[in-house]
Amino acid sequence: MKKITIAIDGHSSCGKSTMAKDLAHEVGYVYVDTGAMYRSVTLYALRNGMFAADGTINEEELQRQLGNIQIDQKLVDGKTVTFLNGENVEHDIRTMEVSNHVSPIATLGFVREALVAQQQKMGQEGGIVMDGRDIGTVVFPHAELKVFVTASAEVRAQRRYDELKGKGMEADYDDILKNVQERDYIDSHREVSPLRQADDALLLDNSNMTIVQQKEWLLERFKEATA
């Protein structure tokens, strides 16, 4: 059976990563979390003082140091874990501090250009499930299966809140809802690779679906695409 490329795009906190990980595991494909890549660049910028007090970014310094940022994703105990320059940062990149700063980083053309090149290299042989904001429109416009996932902002904020609390991290629902809404606006209105549904992508609104239902739906679409 020919291995295809699967592109899963959608809004923040709508469960894209969970769906993509499950599908990759189910069908024996490689999973790549592109959101974690942008979060890793954001974490590096935060750690190295590249954000001013007003939230603006020292773009010149970030561009100068971009070559020093090495991002890897590896399977650890059956889970995909993100490493930044050899350090496991899976926990650190999921904090609200990173969430509040990642969208401005993701709007930078030189950052997207560098990461998109890495992503395309990862998937050139097929047999990959990749999720993000511009996978079906920019990274893999010819992917055999494209899915655009969404859910209401309130549902997504609640999921994010539950996730953080479940990990023992501090969380405030109102702050998370505001962050989700702000990220939706920034992602959809940025100049470079704005978030949008590809013309040939299947729409999945999972506001009222369980993880099991989503998994079944996606697996059925995979079988149709590889038939």
Side-chain angles (χ1 to χ4, degrees), residues 62-80:
L62 178 57
Q63 188 164 15
R64 189 181 71 81
Q65 293 196 39
L66 200 59
N68 299 331
I69 303 175
Q70 176 64 42
I71 303 167
D72 298 294
Q73 294 187 341
K74 306 174 184 177
L75 276 178
V76 177
D77 296 328
K79 295 181 179 180
T80 300

Side-chain angles (χ1 to χ4, degrees), residues 72-130:
D72 298 294
Q73 294 187 341
K74 306 174 184 177
L75 276 178
V76 177
D77 296 328
K79 295 181 179 180
T80 300
V81 174
T82 303
F83 289 80
L84 172 60
N85 294 335
E87 176 193 352
N88 182 338
V89 293
E90 190 63 33
H91 180 273
D92 293 356
I93 62 174
R94 307 298 174 183
T95 63
M96 280 304 297
E97 182 182 26
V98 170
S99 294
N100 287 330
H101 290 85
V102 65
S103 287
I105 288 286
T107 64
L108 299 175
F110 65 88
V111 172
R112 299 202 72 84
E113 182 179 349
L115 295 190
V116 165
Q118 288 186 35
Q119 292 156 12
Q120 290 174 330
K121 187 176 181 180
M122 292 174 182
Q124 60 189 5
E125 300 298 327
I128 194 166
V129 183
M130 193 173 287

